[in-house]
């Protein structure tokens, strides 16, 4: 898929105030600092569309980006960032769950995990939460440029093995790097084919 346009539309702390359009949207979620905002920039080929930072806790709102004038990418705050105050942490968690439970336009979420680390409890719990709520998701392994190909293979296999302890099947997954653009075509193709399925459903 070719990205012809990518525009920031709005930031929000309330799901009710998100764009009213019925366009399909794709959300990026995961721990703080895992690379959600960087991935959005990589996918759209824009250096500074989504704000990134070396320090966790950069994205604090629900951000809508309109792509090719017919679908949205959504950048969300990270979960599991211990250094925010208890009250604001609760608020983040609350509007993340509100977003996933209420946003009808969401067609697919991407749960991002750092490819360098073993499966973390908080990510497994989040995936469990998605499963319980019937929210479709794929996994995106980030920061693949930090590992050699053999280590990537090994870590992905170990991760899937861990998932199989609680899931009957593993979700679809993508190996990506925002630094080298590895995985860009695969993620965009997934979005493209999901958009086409949505259109086909609409016509029936
Ligand atoms: P929050 O908004 O705080 O939840 O973080 P985020 O998940 O949006 O992470 P962000 O995109 O801001 O990236 C965090 C840090 O990781 C930044 O220093 C990025 O440059 C770095 N980073 C992100 N993706 C990659 C990647 O693919 N490779 C490498 N080497 N670094 C990356
Ligand atoms: Mg961010």
């Amino acid at each position: 898929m070719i990205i012809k346009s990518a525009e920031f539309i709005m930031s929000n702390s309330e799901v009710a105030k998100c764009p009213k359009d019925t366009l399909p949207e794709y959300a990026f979620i995961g721990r703080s600092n895992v690379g959600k905002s960087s991935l959005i920039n990589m996918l759209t080929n824009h250096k500074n569309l989504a704000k990134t930072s070396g320090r966790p806790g950069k994205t604090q709102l629900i951000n809508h980006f309109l792509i090719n004038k017919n679908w949205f990418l959504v950048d969300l705050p990270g979960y599991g960032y211990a250094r925010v105050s208890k009250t604001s942490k609760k608020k983040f968690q609350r509007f993340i769950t509100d977003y996933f439970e209420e946003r009808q336009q969401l067609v697919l979420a991407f749960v991002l995990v750092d490819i360098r680390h073993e499966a973390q409890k908080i990510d497994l719990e989040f995936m469990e939460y998605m499963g319980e709520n019937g929210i479709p998701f794929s996994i995106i392994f980030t920061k693949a440029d930090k590992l050699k190909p053999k280590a990537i293979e090994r870590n992905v296999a170990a991760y899937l093995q861990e998932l199989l302890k609680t899931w009957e099947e593993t979700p679809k997954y993508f190996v990506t790097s925002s630094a080298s653009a590895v995985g860009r075509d695969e993620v965009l193709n997934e979005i493209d084919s999901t958009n086409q399925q949505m259109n086909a459903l609409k016509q029936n």
Side-chain angles (χ1 to χ4, degrees):
M1 174 169 39
I2 295 165
I3 303 293
K4 292 184 214 122
S5 64
E7 308 158 60
F8 168 72
I9 301 296
M10 60 161 87
S11 291
N12 258 299
S13 61
E14 280 176 59
V15 190
K17 292 187 182 154
C18 287
K20 300 279 178 273
D21 314 56
T22 53
L23 299 173
E25 66 189 48
Y26 299 84
F28 296 83
I29 185 70
R31 289 168 72 103
S32 259
N33 219 41
V34 69
K36 300 175 293 294
S37 304
S38 303
L39 187 74
I40 287 178
N41 291 338
M42 183 273 262
L43 293 173
T44 55
N45 251 330
H46 278 59
K47 258 203 181 119
N48 298 309
L49 187 64
K51 294 202 179 89
T52 67
S53 166
R55 287 173 49 206
K58 180 69 181 173
T59 309
Q60 304 212 344
L61 296 165
I62 304 169
N63 298 283
H64 275 78
F65 301 97
L66 179 64
I67 314 298
N68 291 350
K69 306 216 182 278
N70 71 7
W71 51 278
F72 285 109
L73 281 180
V74 180
D75 194 13
L76 293 168
Y79 52 71
Y81 173 47
R83 275 161 64 202
V84 293
S85 74
K86 272 222 176 97
T87 13
S88 60
K89 189 173 173 194
K90 237 190 226 154
K91 195 173 71 193
F92 295 166
Q93 309 301 41
R94 177 66 192 276
F95 69 69
I96 291 171
T97 52
D98 281 354
Y99 172 82
F100 284 107
E101 286 163 35
E102 292 171 23
R103 189 70 176 157
Q104 301 287 330
Q105 291 88 332
L106 176 75
V107 293
L108 179 63
F110 292 100
V111 179
L112 276 62
V113 294
D114 190 321
I115 197 155
R116 294 171 294 177
H117 308 316
E118 283 177 6
Q120 314 264 308
K121 193 164 170 242
I122 192 165
D123 295 318
L124 296 173
E125 282 173 359
F126 192 79
M127 291 179 209
E128 211 174 294
Y129 159 81
M130 296 294 266
E132 279 164 3
N133 285 278
I135 302 158
F137 70 93
S138 294
I139 294 178
I140 289 187
F141 293 99
T142 63
K143 310 195 184 184
D145 56 288
K146 299 263 194 187
L147 293 180
K148 300 218 161 73
K150 274 269 180 291
I152 290 178
E153 241 174 68
R154 197 167 53 233
N155 287 10
V156 168
Y159 207 100
L160 299 178
Q161 210 51 49
E162 186 61 39
L163 284 174
L164 285 173
K165 289 184 184 165
T166 46
W167 292 80
E168 265 173 46
E169 302 174 44
T170 52
K172 246 189 214 174
Y173 68 89
F174 303 88
V175 173
T176 69
S177 161
S178 298
S180 71
V182 158
R184 182 174 186 270
D185 291 347
E186 289 77 2
V187 174
L188 289 179
N189 283 344
E190 178 68 10
I191 292 174
D192 197 23
S193 62
T194 308
N195 280 339
Q196 283 173 27
Q197 282 169 31
M198 299 302 296
N199 282 336
L201 280 178
K202 248 192 235 160
Q203 277 155 18
N204 280 331

